[in-house]
Amino acid sequence: MSQKVLLNATDINIILHRLACQLIENHKDFSNTVLIGLQPRGKYLANRLAQMLTTEYKIKNLQLGLLDITFYRDDFRRGDKIHEANSTEIDFIVEDKNVVFIDDVLYTGRSIRAALTAIQSFGRPNEIELLTLIDRRFSRHLPIQPNYRGRQVDAINEEKVIVSWKENDGEDAVYLVNS
């Protein structure tokens, strides 16, 4: 198994600042916008962006939620892999709000499809956008594209993209792993 570093901690920090600035450009003061991290791995990116927006860019009253999509996945009862549920933490209504889904890697698009279904339990958003750190553009099964992307990666065959977060994995890095 070989691995290549696609992004180091400095690269990730630069990308996060760029993504935060793009969000500010499109959503101004976030008075009608909510950020929703997709569990389990999107929460690290969502939390990091929310912290950056509030502390470094002085955005007030930013609303951040976490959405578990486990039971909305189309592969929930398929195969041998047991899916573990995570917590959903949305203490606000998304009715008529602009929602920004946040996930670490956009791969097949199936997680986003599940999130689109799951969010309906919390109201009908005005608009839904997608922010992702890594866009694996040639792997899509569904016609889903990000509005905001950190880096586009062309992974082929058995290559996997692994995102490591300091909060969970002890380091900020993105690897391309060939198994």
Side-chain angles (χ1 to χ4, degrees):
M1 179 171 81
S2 65
Q3 73 179 24
K4 173 185 174 186
V5 176
L6 294 178
L7 300 172
N8 61 32
T10 302
D11 299 329
I12 291 173
N13 190 48
I14 291 168
I15 287 170
L16 291 179
H17 277 281
R18 177 174 49 80
L19 291 170
C21 287
Q22 289 174 339
L23 285 170
I24 292 168
E25 182 178 344
N26 290 336
H27 297 280
K28 311 292 185 248
D29 64 356
F30 289 79
S31 59
N32 198 40
T33 300
V34 298
L35 304 180
I36 297 185
L38 302 185
Q39 291 275 37
R41 306 283 305 174
K43 75 178 176 183
Y44 303 110
L45 177 57
N47 286 334
R48 192 79 66 85
L49 277 171
Q51 178 192 22
M52 188 176 283
L53 287 165
T54 55
T55 59
E56 296 184 42
Y57 294 99
K58 308 301 183 209
I59 301 296
K60 306 278 189 232
N61 303 316
L62 183 70
Q63 292 184 301
L64 171 66
L66 301 175
L67 181 63
D68 179 49
I69 59 169
T70 303
F71 301 114
Y72 296 92
R73 295 180 57 92
D74 60 4
D75 62 353
F76 173 61
R77 294 187 186 254
R78 300 178 125 188
D80 297 330
K81 184 178 177 184
I82 296 173
H83 296 279
E84 291 185 28
N86 296 282
S87 62
T88 290
E89 300 169 21
I90 298 177
D91 59 357
F92 47 83
I93 302 296
V94 300
E95 189 76 28
D96 295 324
K97 295 279 188 180
N98 297 319
V99 171
V100 180
F101 283 152
I102 300 174
D103 207 2
D104 61 348
V105 178
L106 175 58
Y107 183 34
T108 63
R110 294 186 184 284
S111 293
I112 305 308
R113 191 220 43 88
L116 290 167
T117 303
I119 197 65
Q120 298 301 313
S121 300
F122 298 90
R124 183 177 178 192
N126 179 52
E127 181 179 30
I128 298 176
E129 294 180 329
L130 174 60
L131 181 148
T132 185
L133 181 65
I134 302 294
D135 175 12
R136 289 189 58 171
R137 67 180 176 158
F138 294 137
S139 306
R140 214 75 79 240
H141 295 177
L142 300 169
I144 293 173
Q145 300 300 322
N147 301 86
Y148 312 92
R149 78 170 52 88
R151 171 74 61 87
Q152 198 164 281
V153 175
D154 298 334
I156 57 171
N157 301 330
E158 300 302 314
E159 293 176 325
K160 292 183 180 179
V161 176
I162 307 294
V163 178
S164 297
W165 293 104
K166 184 172 33 183
E167 298 87 343
N168 187 57
D169 307 303
E171 68 171 344
D172 286 341
V174 178
Y175 299 99
L176 182 63
V177 178
N178 196 344
S179 47

